[in-house]
Amino acid sequence: MTVREILKMGDARLLRVAQPVTAFDTDELHLLITDMLDTMHAANGAGLAAPQIGVDLQLVIFGSGEFNPRYPDAPVVPRTVLINPVLTPLADAQGVLAEEEGWEGCLSVPGLRGVVPRYQRLRYQGMDQFGDPIDRSVEGFHARVVQHECDHLMGVLYPMRVRDFSRFGYTSVLFPGLDAAQDD
Ligand code: NI
């Protein structure tokens, strides 16, 4: 098991537009994903993007499949490896691309949380590590996690999407009930 160093906001490598993955089901790709899973689990993260460990590729992992102490109220999201993703916001029955607000944190922005608007419903397409296609339509927390992780592939960190800075701050102040050991 190899837990890799997670880059923190301010590192220019987090601001790059990532390159597409061109070779699937390779030893190199499987090793990278194993390291990313180990790193995400060690940090109790809900997701991790390759640029966060300094790898300039369009590859994200997310989901827990189980209870996550950093997001105790979050619904379970299936554990997913998503490569070369394409995101399409989905309109509701009235034809509206609805947004909803929600609290986010990021392993590259430790100790902070903020309210970020995201599309409520979303279709995402891409490949898994074997080159098999993924095509899902999701909503709510699942859609939020995907948007957060895929933002990393465009060099966007969630504080760049915060609109109301009265709801952006230190986790220990905003949510004093959370165990400090579970703080990011
Ligand atoms: Ni993040």
Side-chain angles (χ1 to χ4, degrees), residues 113-151:
R113 297 277 172 107
V115 169
V116 182
R118 298 286 186 187
Y119 291 113
Q120 207 270 329
R121 298 181 64 238
L122 181 79
R123 178 183 185 186
Y124 64 91
Q125 298 160 279
M127 308 277 215
D128 69 11
Q129 62 270 48
F130 304 101
D132 293 323
I134 294 173
D135 186 346
R136 293 178 184 158
S137 294
V138 300
E139 59 184 18
F141 183 71
H142 189 159
R144 175 171 299 278
V145 168
V146 173
Q147 289 170 86
H148 176 114
E149 296 311 326
C150 292
D151 261 0

Side-chain angles (χ1 to χ4, degrees), residues 5 14 40 79 110 133 173 180:
E5 181 192 359
L14 290 169
M40 182 178 83
R79 185 168 296 146
V173 179

Side-chain angles (χ1 to χ4, degrees), residues 5 16 22 37 43 58 62 89 92 100 105 120-121 130 148 160:
E5 181 192 359
R16 295 184 292 199
T22 55
L37 286 165
Q58 293 180 23
F62 55 84
D92 63 18
E100 65 183 7
Q120 207 270 329
R121 298 181 64 238
F130 304 101
H148 176 114
M160 300 174 185

Side-chain angles (χ1 to χ4, degrees), residues 52 105-108 148-149 152:
Q52 291 182 274
C106 180
L107 298 174
S108 293
H148 176 114
E149 296 311 326
H152 280 293

Side-chain angles (χ1 to χ4, degrees), residues 158-175:
Y158 85 82
M160 300 174 185
R161 297 206 183 271
V162 170
R163 292 179 189 158
D164 174 5
F165 283 91
S166 72
R167 291 183 293 164
F168 177 61
Y170 290 97
T171 312
S172 58
V173 179
L174 290 162
F175 303 104

